[in-house]
Amino acid sequence: MLSIIGGGLAGCEAAWQAAERGVHVRLYEMRPQRATEAHVTDRLAELVCSNSLGSDVTDRPSGLLKAELRRMGSFLLDCADATAVPAGSALAVDREAFAERVTARLEAHPGIEIVREEVTELPDGPTIIASGPLTSPALSDALAALSGEEHLFFFDAISPIVEGDSVDMDVAFRQSRWDRGDQAGGDYINCPLDRDEYEAFVDALLAAERIPLKSFEAAIDAGVKAGLHRFFEGCLPIEVIASRGREALAYGPLRPVGLTDPRTGRRPYACVQLRQDDLAGTLYNLVGFQTNLKFEEQKRVFALIPGLADAQWERLGQMHRNTFLSAPRLLDPTLRFRGREDLFCAGQLTGIEGYAGNVASGLLAGWNAARTMNGEAPVTLPQDTMLGALCHYIANADPAHFQPMKSNMGLLPALPPPEGRRKKRKKRERQAAHAGRALASLDGFLRGVDPLPAAERDPRISA
């Protein structure tokens, strides 16, 4: 039997992959017996930060990773595609429908037993640790005892969600960047700001009161003493971004490129984008608006955004602790713990960031745990694939400066010079070349370890 600790994205994907390979799985999820600082339901694979899995365009890092996952037969990508909502070139889901679908399919699988209780000690025998960024204190202690390493802490934040019919569409407008959308007018609602409105918003944001992080003081102290960053750079609270410079937001989450305000016929000075959060199209989240402002302050400050003066909030933003291991010291590229052949790790604990990355690490851990139990050697993916590059990074990064990593093209090995040309490839051309090489490499690799053709694993993929 394989024990999997954690019913998030990584744990659910790992459970499915192992069970499909003939392994009996016991999947532990502590909710609802024990709550976390961020989850609101007891469903498996609940998305707490955003409903977007990132770009679905193959020549973008996140899109390439999802293309690899589809070729490898990802269970959660199938569930995400079935519950997708309009999001331009990104893959976003109705988070409730997604979690319900994942939970129902796992509960119905004959090879998976779901146990609703907290795990306080590491089980004996084959195990995958996928307890996520909100690992309970007792299990954190068990992990620390196992690894001999102190955990590394940073703080993560979630974005607020607004009721769509409370947005003033006389001010806001629908458009996807560069008009890349499927809905009439575009998949995103955009709230444009002129220079004065932007300056007033930044002033209010910087002056607003934040929620004290008293429950995380020990984690803060540990991080400061270890010389670590307090926040994860890939998911900074919006007020922290604003504190780094007056124009930081205009060049960050409020960048207006690819958008045109129909009232002026010009690109706005800055723009807040709202992305659909449910299939019915009634809820929208503020893209890039992770925050730790007090709730009343959020209502006051966000009301300054044009189109949101009378907004009704379904959920306000909040901050929670995020925990990850010193993977370069502890894990190899197969996601197996060094020194213990039957123990694997998956999800954000590994230092692989982002929803798609969590799914991907769960897929590989579940696959490799099953291979180990079936008497086969675990596989290391080619380094020129996105998942292979991520696993190589976390296993070989400098432990002294290790930070979580999302998929990005910079992790991939350099491309050979283009034949017959002196000039370097342009960025988009280079990204497309990386994607083509990665998918070809993965297909060749899969033929050696999995005889099922890619098109049969996912019929949307052409041979």
Side-chain angles (χ1 to χ4, degrees):
M1 183 190 68
L2 172 65
S3 298
I4 299 179
I5 306 171
L9 296 178
C12 289
E13 183 70 45
W16 186 271
Q17 295 298 327
E20 287 289 283
R21 287 165 172 80
V23 171
H24 178 72
V25 173
R26 182 171 291 167
L27 176 62
Y28 291 90
E29 169 53 53
M30 67 180 185
R31 293 173 295 121
Q33 182 193 84
R34 183 186 177 96
T36 75
E37 298 99 328
H39 292 88
V40 296
T41 78
D42 64 353
R43 298 188 190 98
L44 302 173
E46 179 185 341
L47 305 180
V48 298
C49 293
S50 165
N51 71 321
S52 174
L53 279 74
S55 174
D56 213 18
V57 179
T58 305
D59 63 2
R60 302 295 174 87
S62 180
L64 173 57
L65 185 57
K66 285 192 280 294
E68 293 176 3
L69 285 170
R70 292 189 175 106
R71 276 169 158 77
M72 297 177 74
S74 170
F75 161 62
L76 288 185
L77 258 288
D78 180 68
C79 292
D81 288 330
T83 56
V85 298
S89 59
L91 174 60
V93 301
D94 179 319
R95 67 179 80 211
E96 290 191 10
F98 173 74
E100 288 173 358
R101 185 178 185 87
V102 172
T103 303
R105 290 186 65 184
L106 288 174
E107 288 177 340
H109 197 294
I112 299 174
E113 173 190 358
I114 299 173
V115 180
R116 296 284 187 165
E117 65 181 46
E118 180 185 359
V119 176
T120 58
E121 296 181 357
L122 294 177
D124 294 327
T127 301
I128 297 175
I129 306 169
S131 48
L134 300 174
T135 296
S136 68
L139 184 56
S140 292
D141 290 342
L143 284 171
L146 168 74
S147 66
E149 300 288 339
E150 290 191 13
H151 282 115
L152 313 180
F153 299 94
F154 62 90
F155 294 100
D156 210 348
I158 58 179
S159 300
I161 295 176
V162 67
E163 295 179 9
D165 60 7
S166 70
V167 179
D168 184 356
M169 295 306 294
D170 288 334
V171 177
F173 61 94
R174 277 196 171 274
Q175 188 184 11
S176 298
R177 294 189 192 279
W178 313 112
D179 295 318
R180 294 171 182 159
D182 298 320
Q183 291 196 76
D187 290 342
Y188 291 79
I189 293 176
N190 301 277
C191 299
L193 296 87
D194 61 25
R195 179 64 181 264
D196 291 340
E197 291 166 335
Y198 174 80
E199 294 289 348
F201 174 71
V202 171
D203 286 338
L205 188 62
L206 293 174
E209 289 188 78
R210 306 181 189 184
I211 299 173
L213 298 174
K214 292 181 180 179
S215 62
F216 303 140
E217 285 177 353
I220 293 175
D221 291 342
V224 170
K225 289 176 183 176
L228 301 169
H229 294 290
R230 183 167 170 174
F231 299 108
F232 171 46
E233 291 293 321
C235 195
L236 287 172
I238 191 167
E239 60 271 14
V240 174
I241 300 175
S243 70
R244 295 183 170 184
R246 299 291 301 183
E247 300 301 310
L249 292 176
Y251 286 92
L254 273 67
R255 62 190 184 282
V257 294
L259 301 171
T260 302
D261 186 345
R263 298 176 304 169
T264 64
R266 300 189 305 272
R267 186 170 79 179
Y269 184 80
C271 191
V272 176
Q273 284 203 304
L274 280 59
R275 179 177 54 232
Q276 186 172 328
D277 203 80
D278 63 340
L279 286 170
T282 60
L283 301 176
Y284 286 78
N285 65 71
L286 276 64
V287 177
F289 264 62
Q290 300 84 218
T291 182
N292 189 46
L293 298 185
K294 289 185 175 181
F295 287 169
E296 289 305 314
E297 291 287 77
Q298 290 183 47
K299 294 177 183 179
R300 178 182 67 82
V301 175
F302 296 161
L304 297 175
I305 299 171
L308 300 185
D310 299 313
Q312 298 297 309
W313 301 98
E314 172 71 17
R315 182 191 75 188
L316 290 164
Q318 58 183 295
M319 183 166 285
H320 57 86
R321 186 187 59 154
N322 206 334
T323 309
F324 62 100
L325 298 172
S326 182
R329 291 190 175 102
L330 302 175
L331 303 178
D332 64 29
T334 68
L335 302 182
R336 183 168 60 179
F337 272 78
R338 293 177 176 137
R340 183 172 163 180
E341 293 187 353
D342 64 351
L343 182 62
F344 292 82
C345 190
Q348 285 184 246
L349 276 176
T350 66
I352 294 177
E353 265 293 332
Y355 287 155
N358 294 171
V359 174
S361 65
L363 186 150
L364 184 61
W367 188 2
N368 276 337
R371 287 179 64 89
T372 300
M373 295 176 70
N374 290 330
E376 301 174 295
V379 296
T380 299
L381 291 174
Q383 195 179 335
D384 55 5
T385 64
M386 185 56 70
L387 180 51
L390 279 166
C391 292
H392 177 82
Y393 165 79
I394 65 165
N396 293 281
D398 179 0
H401 303 287
F402 181 59
Q403 271 259 323
M405 180 64 69
K406 287 186 177 182
S407 56
N408 68 85
M409 294 298 189
L411 294 174
L412 299 171
L415 292 163
E419 295 183 10
R421 292 173 53 183
R422 294 183 178 178
K423 292 183 178 180
K424 295 182 179 179
R425 294 181 178 93
K426 294 182 179 180
K427 181 179 179 180
R428 292 300 298 274
E429 184 184 2
R430 187 169 61 252
Q431 290 177 324
H434 271 304
R437 182 182 68 175
L439 295 179
S441 178
L442 180 62
D443 285 342
F445 173 81
L446 291 175
R447 283 192 293 270
V449 297
D450 185 353
L452 191 61
E456 292 183 33
R457 286 191 296 271
D458 185 341
R460 292 164 302 173
I461 298 173
S462 58

